Every structure is written in C-alpha cells, then in structure tokens.
C-alpha cells in the first residue's frame, strides 16, 4: 500500500471504473487449473503451479480463496493459504487505486470499510480525500478492513490503534515521534463508533483524546478535508451513550467543534451514570451557550433531586443545591429571566467565573416548590414555537 499512491500518480491511465477489475474468464480458468495442480502427486508440478499462481497476483485471489476454504486436500488448502494474503492484498490495492482514480466519485467501489467510513464522513470530495489519505497507511487499511468484520474484533483493534497512535506521539528515547494525521484519527473514530463498548470499556482513552484535539486544532479551518473530519468527530460524539463517553463528546464539541456544544451539554443531563456535579455544570453550559433548542433537556433535569451542594453558605446560611435547582436557574438565565424573581439567592462572592457557575444560585428549601410552580406557569404561557414546516 505504501507504493500505491505513487503508482496511481505515475500511471494516470488507471481506470476509475471498478468493472475493469473483473478477472478475465481465461485467467480465472487458468487459476482454477493451477490450484488443482497444487495437489499433484509430483512435487515439481506442485512447486511450478504455486510459482505461477504467485505470479498471477490478484487474478488468482478468488480461486485461492475458494480452495483454501473448501478443498478436501490439506496440501491444497495449505499452499492456497500461504498464497492468498499477497493475492488478496494485490486485489485490494487495485480496488483502492481505482477509487483514487475516480476523483469525481462517479462509480461505486468495493474498498475496505468505505461503506462505514462514508456513513460518518460523507461522500463529497472532502470525505473522499480524507479516505484517500487514510489508505496510504497500512495500519489504517487494516482497521478499515475490520469495519466489515465482527464488531468484537473491531472494538479490540480500535483500542489497540489508539494506543499505537498515543505511543507514537511519545516514543521511547531515540525513536522519532510521529504525530497522528487527520486520516489516522478519523479511521480510529469511525472504528470506535462501530465497535462494542464491552471490548473497549473506557472508550477512546483520554491520552488519545489529546491527540484528537491536537490534530483538530492543527488542521486549518479552510483545509479541504476539514468538513469531513468534523463530520467524523460529530459521528463519534453521537455514538457515545455512556457517562464517560458523553462527557468526552461534550469536551470535544467545546474544544474543537465536534457538533454543537450545547447539544452534548444537554445530553449529559439525561445520560445515566453522569455525576451530579457534571450534570450541574452541563445545565449551566446549556444556558451559557444559548441553546434554547435544548430547553427540554433542562426541564428533564429539573426532576433530578441529586445534591450538588449541601451545607453552610455565605453568612452562615444553609445552602442546599440540587441538580434540579441548577437546571431551573439555567432555564431562567436561558430564557432571559431573573432567578431572584423566582426566590433564588445569588452567591455573588463565589461568582468569579460569572453567573453561569453552578453554585451561583440556590433556592431556600421552603421556597423550592413555589419556584417550580412559577416556572410551570410561565412555560404554559410561553411554549416552544413549532418546528420549521410544522403545524
């Protein structure tokens, strides 16, 4: 694969039409005949047949694959098994070369992992360029191949590739460092989005997330592959459904644009297992980011009675702040209302980071019910507008 791009550049006559890769009937028949000779009782004949099959390259891949799986002769199966990897790799390289030659995307191509990759990155020139960059690296091709295999294997391979990329950034002394490319990271994210959590329970390690952030920030905003890379980031973020993954998704959205940050902040409020203080921070981030479209998530959070703060406050006042209280205060800020009008106290002394600090407001326990009742009354008079194109 390392010489594939050079081959395509040096030979612009490579056809972009994958139909031109069809094996001629005569070549297919010759490959089958040679496979039969691999079981000859004469050793020189077996050796000669194996040599000729090796020279046929990709033209013998189908015959070798069939015999390796179905031949009753153990000698034939063994020899085909040894020949098949090189023939299959040559066939894959030819299919990828046709894909790269099809700059306009006029044809459908059977290339490693393209169906899953394009579902995340799209099919426009930016996505095709990102994929073309990915297949220049053999490790990426192996992971792209795995996209079409068993999900359990995919999860394990994605985790292993994460470690490889991380160690490449921080190698042992004397070994040159290698920064991941956008294509490297994109392939890992597509793979992780499709792999089961059971085989990679931590998701993308935080050390690898540093690589993602570094790559994303190093990729210029006007780079032709930037749109596809951002779509892959958003695809990965949308696939994170556990607490740790949802928190990482929000972090990426906030730092490098993996989708609207308010969307992922709102999702933290309803993701099982998210810590109470993280939910509280998320609620205020929804308000801070102006995500009026996610007001329903704040309302869902209002039912959460988990404590964020419970104890003494300024001047000896008892402060009890629940996730639901923070969600209500955030909703008030988001809708341009004043929390004090709902009975909230404002802890200005602790507000060095502004009014969107989750400990900024608290409502006395005796006033809590009235505050929520007032919100319900306000919402009854101020429903969300209908969606575009709706009734």
């Amino acid at each position: 694969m390392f010489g594939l791009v050079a081959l395509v550049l040096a030979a612009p006559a490579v056809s972009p039409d994958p139909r031109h890769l069809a094996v001629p009937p005569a070549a297919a028949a010759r490959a089958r005949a040679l496979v039969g000779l691999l079981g000859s009782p004469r050793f020189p004949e077996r050796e000669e047949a194996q040599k000729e099959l090796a020279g046929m390259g990709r033209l013998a891949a189908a015959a070798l694959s069939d015999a390796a799986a179905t031949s009753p002769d153990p000698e034939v199966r063994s020899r085909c098994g040894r020949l098949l990897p090189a023939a299959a790799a040559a066939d894959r390289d030819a299919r990828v070369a046709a894909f790269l030659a099809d700059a306009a995307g006029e044809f459908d191509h059977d290339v490693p992992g393209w169906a899953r990759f394009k579902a995340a990155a799209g099919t426009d020139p930016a996505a095709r360029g990102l994929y073309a960059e990915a297949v220049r690296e053999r490790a990426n091709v192996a992971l792209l191949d795995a996209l079409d295999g068993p999900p359990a294997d995919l999860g394990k391979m994605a985790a292993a590739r994460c470690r490889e990329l991380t160690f490449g950034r921080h190698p042992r002394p004397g070994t040159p460092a290698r920064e991941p490319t956008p294509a490297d990271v994109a392939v890992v994210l597509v793979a992780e989005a499709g792999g089961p959590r059971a085989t990679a329970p931590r998701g993308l390690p935080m050390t690898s997330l540093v690589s993602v952030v570094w790559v994303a920030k190093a990729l210029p905003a006007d780079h032709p592959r930037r749109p596809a890379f951002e779509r892959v980031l958003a695809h990965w973020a949308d696939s994170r459904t556990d607490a740790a993954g949802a928190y990482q998704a929000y972090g990426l959205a906030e730092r490098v644009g993996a989708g609207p940050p308010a969307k992922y902040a709102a999702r933290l409020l309803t993701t099982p297992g998210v810590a109470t203080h993280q939910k509280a921070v998320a609620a205020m981030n929804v308000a801070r980011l102006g995500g009026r479209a996610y007001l329903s998530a704040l309302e869902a959070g209002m039912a959460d009675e988990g404590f964020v703060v419970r104890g003494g406050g300024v001047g000896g006042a008892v402060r009890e702040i629940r996730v639901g209280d923070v969600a209500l205060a955030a909703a008030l800020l988001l809708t341009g209302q004043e929390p004090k009008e709902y009975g909230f106290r404002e802890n200005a002394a602790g507000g060095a980071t502004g009014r969107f600090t989750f400990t900024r407001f608290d409502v006395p326990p005796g006033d809590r019910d009235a505050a929520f009742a007032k919100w319900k009354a306000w919402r009854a008079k101020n429903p969300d507008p209908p969606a575009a194109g709706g009734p």
Side-chain angles (χ1 to χ4, degrees):
M1 185 66 67
F2 290 114
L4 177 59
V5 175
L7 175 64
V8 173
L9 293 176
V14 171
S15 172
D17 188 345
R19 291 173 294 185
H20 292 167
L21 299 176
V23 177
R30 180 57 180 166
R32 289 194 297 271
L34 290 169
V35 166
L37 292 175
L38 294 177
S40 170
R42 299 181 61 249
F43 178 75
E45 198 168 52
R46 297 198 301 271
E47 288 290 292
E48 186 61 30
Q50 180 166 329
K51 181 178 179 181
E52 187 174 343
L53 281 166
M56 291 186 70
R58 61 172 294 271
L59 299 180
L64 291 170
S65 179
D66 289 344
T70 64
S71 176
D73 188 328
E75 174 98 7
V76 172
R77 292 198 305 273
S78 175
R79 287 178 179 266
C80 287
R82 293 196 297 270
L83 290 167
L84 183 57
D91 182 61
R92 181 188 62 216
D93 286 356
R95 288 185 280 115
V96 171
F99 175 91
L100 295 176
D102 184 16
E106 297 179 14
F107 303 98
D108 291 328
H109 295 266
D110 179 17
V111 287
W114 173 239
R116 297 279 288 276
F117 190 91
K118 70 181 181 181
T123 59
D124 61 2
R128 294 177 64 83
L130 192 63
Y131 180 89
E133 180 184 340
V135 296
R136 289 172 170 85
E137 174 64 44
R138 284 199 179 275
N140 290 337
V141 173
L143 195 49
L144 287 167
D145 268 329
L147 290 177
D148 300 321
D153 292 345
L154 178 58
K156 294 174 183 176
M157 290 183 67
R161 182 64 170 148
C162 280
R163 291 191 293 271
E164 181 182 356
L165 292 176
T166 299
F167 294 151
R169 294 190 72 223
H170 306 287
R172 294 179 178 178
T175 303
R178 179 187 180 278
E179 293 291 351
T181 68
D184 293 335
V185 172
V187 171
V188 169
L189 293 177
V190 172
E192 239 221 0
R197 302 291 290 167
T199 56
R202 289 189 58 204
L204 194 67
M206 291 304 294
T207 49
S208 291
L209 274 179
V210 172
S211 298
V212 176
V213 171
W214 187 92
V215 168
K217 289 187 174 181
L219 193 63
D222 59 350
H223 194 281
R225 286 189 282 281
R226 178 83 195 196
F229 185 75
E230 289 184 351
R231 288 194 289 269
V232 170
L233 285 178
H235 175 79
W236 177 86
D238 287 342
S239 75
R240 304 298 86 188
T241 56
D242 64 307
Y247 191 72
Q248 291 174 349
Y250 168 72
L252 277 185
E254 182 82 296
R255 297 171 70 181
V256 298
K263 169 184 175 180
Y264 298 106
R267 197 172 64 168
L268 284 169
L269 285 165
T270 56
T271 300
V274 174
T276 55
H277 76 279
Q278 290 179 342
K279 289 183 179 180
V281 171
M284 280 301 184
N285 281 334
V286 172
R288 175 178 61 84
L289 295 165
R292 176 66 185 256
Y294 307 107
L295 188 56
S296 60
L298 290 177
E299 291 185 300
M302 292 179 193
D304 193 323
E305 296 186 350
F307 283 100
V308 182
V309 174
R310 195 174 193 180
V314 177
V318 175
R319 301 184 77 219
E320 287 186 354
I321 303 179
R322 302 181 183 187
V323 173
D325 301 341
V326 180
L328 174 55
L332 295 173
L333 294 174
L334 184 60
T335 55
Q337 301 184 74
E338 178 54 56
K340 291 181 180 179
E341 295 178 0
Y342 281 69
F344 279 88
R345 299 178 295 196
E346 185 167 0
N347 181 20
T353 57
R355 302 193 85 198
F356 299 110
T357 306
F358 72 89
T359 56
R360 181 83 174 202
F361 300 98
D362 73 284
V363 60
D367 297 333
R368 181 175 285 119
D369 289 346
F372 281 94
K374 186 173 182 178
W375 167 259
K376 289 180 180 179
W378 183 88
R379 277 294 271 163
K381 297 178 181 179
N382 298 272
D384 292 330

